[in-house]
Amino acid sequence: MGAGGSRTPSRQPGPPRTYRQVVGDGGSRILEQVAAQRERLEARLALVGAVVAVASGKGGVGKSLFTANLAAGLAMRGAAVGVLDADLGGPSISHLLGAAPAPLELGDRGLEPATGAAGIRVVGVNLLQAGDERPVAWQGPTDSTAVWLRSLESTVLRELLTDTQWGRLDYLLVDTPPGAEHLPVLAQLLPGLRALLIVSIPGQLAQRTVARSILAAQELGLPLAGLVENMAGLDPDPAEDGPSMARRLGIPFLGQVPFDPRLARSAGTGRPYVLDHARTAAGRALMTLVERLQERVRGGPR
Amino acid sequence: MKLLCSSCDTALQLEQAADAGDGTLVVTFGCPSCDQGIHLLTNPGETQLVRALGVRLGGRTTAPPPLQGTRAFLRHPRPELGMPATPGGTADREPAADPAPEPGAGPQSEELSWTPEARERLDRVPPFVRPLVQSMYEDYARERHLRVISPQVMDEARRSGRLEGHGEGEP
């Protein structure tokens, strides 16, 4: 940044006033625009019954697969469901839900979401870009990417939430990327978040990493609905099981999804496992989690 | 960020944010009290940071088009989304040139006149932003059904804050 005066000023004696002593914003009107952004987001989400985020803090725990099955389970129980894939670096929800990248419709009122299995509406940044296997990349000055990239990611998520024609939904699920560092963005973007589910798997390393996210969510005051243990039974003799971990960290334990290779294989089919296998152990566990989530959302503050 | 006039301790007001066309901005601030002014020249990183926030310096009168930032910054957008082709996007950029006419030109200026003193003062505004500043003064005068723009009117416009169009209150 550089600045040049039109002529040499004679300086005022004494220290200048400080930021908070000066009234107004100098005409930038940035804060006013940020407030308007928030109002537009709230207006869009006014038609959504409950926004529920699914996070983990650890990659590879099956969070997105769980989110897709959670969405499908909710739809099976008659709910209108949308899913925002907030994982900008590795979006996968549209694949898990079989939402084909049909020609997109972007009008003055926003983007028409893609439709996946069970009528679930889905939006992810991969649906907006050409070439399905291309990495999601942003353009800007290459010498200063770190300066603006995080701000841009937040803006993109806000726009995907605000500018998608979700319509009337009972549930909007937000599949967040791995890493506790994304939770503050979630808290800022979605002050009306109704529930945050944390997904973990057996194993000390995963649990330690997931615990960081739980603590971060608690510090941020996010509405922790509970811990879900995915791939339960994978380690037959875990040092700490899911219920114990939840107790230790002071959050509700929502339930376990038993390890089932068929569940993992379903990821490539574009059809959530629970839709066709609700009577299997994993399917029953998923439907139980769906019911518990609905109970918590109904019982929680609106 | 706020800027204070080092001469009179008055908060400078944003008058114009213009795209220099090379990934940088020229942001012009003026002092409402003593006519001091500065041009703030942002580097590409700072420019990108502002744009990444999805805001426009000086405000906007209408909501941005849907997915504006996403479409502008995505490197490989799908063509049906109408993505801008240039890095950083061209949509909603700050104006690169001033569309306002010179003093005395154009149909709207016929009903207004500038006193020689006011014209002289206007001429001290950097040419780069002069037409815009002129139009702001003329808008202020028209709203008050004034036919002549004098230095006094210019002072009133600056004091009113209407010139910059910003609201009052602590951000």
Side-chain angles (χ1 to χ4, degrees):
Chain A
M1 180 190 301
S6 60
R7 58 183 162 180
T8 306
S10 57
R11 291 180 184 240
Q12 280 278 107
R17 286 183 290 161
T18 60
Y19 181 90
R20 297 197 181 280
Q21 291 171 333
V22 177
V23 175
D25 69 351
S28 70
R29 302 177 70 177
I30 287 177
L31 295 175
E32 175 187 310
Q33 293 172 72
V34 171
Q37 290 171 350
R38 178 159 293 187
E39 285 172 12
R40 286 197 296 276
L41 175 58
E42 286 173 359
R44 179 70 80 183
L45 297 184
L47 295 176
V48 176
V51 181
V52 175
V54 182
S56 141
K58 173 82 173 66
V61 302
K63 174 179 54 58
S64 295
L65 186 59
F66 170 73
T67 303
N69 279 280
L70 186 64
L74 287 164
M76 288 167 71
R77 288 173 61 83
V81 186
V83 183
L84 169 68
D85 195 337
D87 190 345
L88 302 182
S92 61
I93 287 288
S94 63
H95 296 283
L96 294 168
L97 290 173
L104 292 172
E105 294 177 35
L106 179 67
D108 292 340
R109 297 176 60 192
L111 178 75
E112 191 64 37
T115 302
I120 297 165
R121 293 164 224 177
V122 58
V123 162
V125 73
N126 59 312
L127 294 172
L128 303 180
Q129 76 163 17
D132 189 48
E133 293 189 341
R134 258 191 181 134
V136 176
W138 308 100
Q139 56 189 357
T142 55
D143 56 344
S144 57
T145 303
V147 173
W148 55 270
L149 191 55
R150 187 52 65 90
S151 296
L152 178 64
E153 288 173 354
S154 175
T155 293
V156 170
L157 287 180
R158 176 179 49 74
E159 288 188 346
L160 291 176
L161 280 165
T162 305
D163 297 336
T164 296
Q165 298 188 67
W166 297 107
R168 194 169 290 281
L169 294 179
D170 296 306
Y171 294 91
L172 174 60
L173 307 185
V174 180
D175 185 40
T176 65
E181 72 274 19
H182 298 286
L183 293 178
V185 174
L186 193 70
Q188 189 178 7
L189 273 180
L190 294 168
L193 184 70
R194 290 283 289 286
L196 171 64
L197 301 182
I198 302 285
V199 181
S200 186
I201 56 172
Q204 284 183 302
L205 178 63
Q207 288 174 328
R208 190 174 295 131
T209 309
V210 173
R212 288 195 196 103
S213 283
I214 293 172
L215 295 173
Q218 288 170 332
E219 286 180 7
L220 290 163
L222 289 168
L224 273 164
L227 177 69
V228 173
E229 186 177 49
N230 198 19
M231 305 184 200
L234 186 62
D235 180 352
D237 187 23
E240 184 181 48
D241 62 10
S244 304
M245 179 185 175
R247 261 195 310 277
R248 175 169 60 84
L249 295 167
I251 69 167
F253 183 70
L254 218 56
Q256 293 171 315
V257 181
F259 177 73
D260 185 339
R262 292 173 297 177
L263 183 54
R265 280 198 297 272
S266 73
T269 67
R271 188 165 170 84
Y273 179 81
V274 74
L275 285 176
D276 303 315
H277 302 91
R279 294 179 186 279
T280 63
R284 285 198 308 274
L286 284 164
M287 291 309 292
T288 300
L289 282 163
V290 168
E291 289 174 33
R292 288 179 182 164
L293 171 66
Q294 288 186 303
E295 286 166 11
R296 288 191 181 276
V297 167
R298 275 197 295 269
R302 293 192 73 86
Chain B
M1 181 173 64
K2 300 173 184 177
L3 298 175
L4 270 184
C5 178
S6 59
S7 295
C8 66
D9 200 39
T10 302
L12 302 188
Q13 294 299 314
L14 187 146
E15 293 178 347
Q16 162 87 326
D19 190 337
D22 58 358
T24 70
L25 293 176
V26 180
V27 189
T28 301
F29 292 83
C31 176
S33 296
C34 70
D35 266 357
Q36 289 284 352
I38 65 162
H39 301 304
L40 187 71
L41 313 177
T42 66
N43 66 39
E46 292 158 345
T47 308
Q48 199 81 350
L49 178 59
V50 171
R51 289 188 177 141
L53 292 171
V55 298
R56 178 173 176 168
L57 290 176
R60 50 170 98 242
T61 54
T62 58
L67 299 175
Q68 183 187 45
T70 307
R71 291 187 292 150
F73 287 98
L74 200 58
R75 189 182 296 275
H76 304 294
R78 288 178 64 175
E80 65 262 40
L81 293 180
M83 311 291 185
T86 54
T90 55
D92 197 45
R93 279 187 166 177
E94 292 76 7
D98 293 307
E102 288 295 318
Q108 289 189 317
S109 294
E110 290 175 7
E111 62 190 87
L112 285 171
S113 63
W114 290 68
T115 67
E117 294 79 12
R119 179 77 58 98
E120 183 183 334
R121 187 163 148 184
L122 181 67
D123 287 343
R124 291 204 300 270
V125 176
F128 178 66
V129 294
R130 194 178 301 151
L132 181 75
V133 173
Q134 177 206 334
S135 69
M136 288 174 164
Y137 282 123
E138 291 183 346
D139 287 346
Y140 176 86
R142 282 193 193 95
E143 287 171 10
R144 286 154 185 77
H145 308 291
L146 303 173
R147 303 289 299 273
V148 178
I149 297 178
S150 65
Q152 185 186 2
V153 172
M154 296 171 80
D155 288 340
E156 288 170 1
R158 282 184 168 274
R159 277 196 298 271
S160 73
R162 167 63 181 81
L163 188 67
E164 294 76 31
H166 77 96
E168 294 293 326
E170 179 65 30

